[in-house]
Amino acid sequence: MTRPSALDDSAYLLAARGERVPHTPVWFMRQAGRALPEYRAVREGISMLESCLRPDLVVEITLQPVRRYGVDAAIFYSDIVAPLKFAGYDIEIKPGIGPVVADPIRDAAGVAAVRPVTPADVPFTTEAIQQLVSELGGTPLIGFAGAPFTVASYLVEGGPSKDFAKTKAMMHGDPELWHTLADRLADVAIAYLSVQVEAGASAVQLFDSWAGGLSPRDYERFVLPHSAKVFDAIAAYGVPRVHFGVNTGELLGLMSNAGADVVGVDWRVPLDEAVRRVTAAGGAPKPVQGNLDPALLFAGWDAIQPEIDRILAEGKAAPGHIFNLGHGVPPDADPEVLRRITEYVQTVSAHVPA
């Protein structure tokens, strides 16, 4: 799909490429969600996965934070387990819990039930993204998918987990089965991201949300090859590729080496230290994304502003910086605070020489 030429000069894409920006771009993970009253209104009586099947709702929900906050990028409204559901896998998203699997994977038969995703499974995704690109104009749209480990953790555990005990047991107890499952899920991510980019998404983010539960040794052995497969497959599209996980300070270098163009950083590691860790792992400095602690959204502006200033200063250590939270927007956050953060970052960074 032909993208608007104005996208080439968008602050988000310039920063993701490590080029000079008019201001530090801002967007927020989970920016389209329960923090917005307009989101709650359009989702009333409609399940999460059902809403992902309706292009009209996907478009409206994706656009809501762009209108409300004035952010520099939109992110496609979906869920990391959505492509599995669309391909016929028995998985649901239960309010207040998260993804829940009817029959957790324990053997080769369970792995075999994870079939490839095809464009025919997600025609509504293509339709929604094409409409979004048209309406967003010069504002980039970020596509995304769940990384193989994080999605696998839901399938093996049967739902959210704090210790990933069953997943780790499979990794070490039956490595062949684990790698077969992770390879299938890499193919799912590749297919879903490809559909999004071919429909017009300008960048992609691979969410390995729970990779922080792994040691560097286990990540390198059991996870990195499969995430690298995803990034390698998407490379030919030429769009920026972002990698993010929570509590992944010890993994930042490895996650960068998996093939990311931009490294997402949660609030636990300062951005300049994150750049050092990425470089120390044998790579060149890369643009970073992050990393205001979401808890500070409730602390008042006098506490938030100094933290923004600190993060902007630390972000100068990278060739590019995309301002974001260190994780997703909490559902009870005040939208006005997020709007004020966006305006402040865009304004104050515009007066800082690049």
Side-chain angles (χ1 to χ4, degrees), residues 29 197 233-234 283 287 303 316:
M29 288 180 284
V197 176
I234 301 301
K316 293 178 185 177

Side-chain angles (χ1 to χ4, degrees), residues 56-133:
D56 61 328
L57 281 181
V58 171
V59 170
E60 170 59 21
I61 293 169
T62 302
L63 291 174
Q64 285 176 349
V66 179
R67 300 188 197 110
R68 167 79 76 141
Y69 304 137
V71 287
D72 292 286
I75 185 163
F76 183 63
Y77 174 73
S78 187
D79 188 270
I80 63 172
V81 301
L84 289 172
K85 179 67 174 180
F86 301 153
Y89 198 83
D90 193 358
I91 188 168
E92 299 293 341
I93 300 177
K94 294 193 174 181
I97 299 176
V100 176
V101 178
D103 296 306
I105 292 176
R106 298 285 183 267
D107 51 29
V111 172
V114 180
R115 75 164 178 82
V117 173
T118 69
D121 294 316
V122 290
F124 38 84
T125 295
T126 297
E127 180 182 343
I129 288 183
Q130 289 176 341
Q131 185 175 339
L132 278 166
V133 170

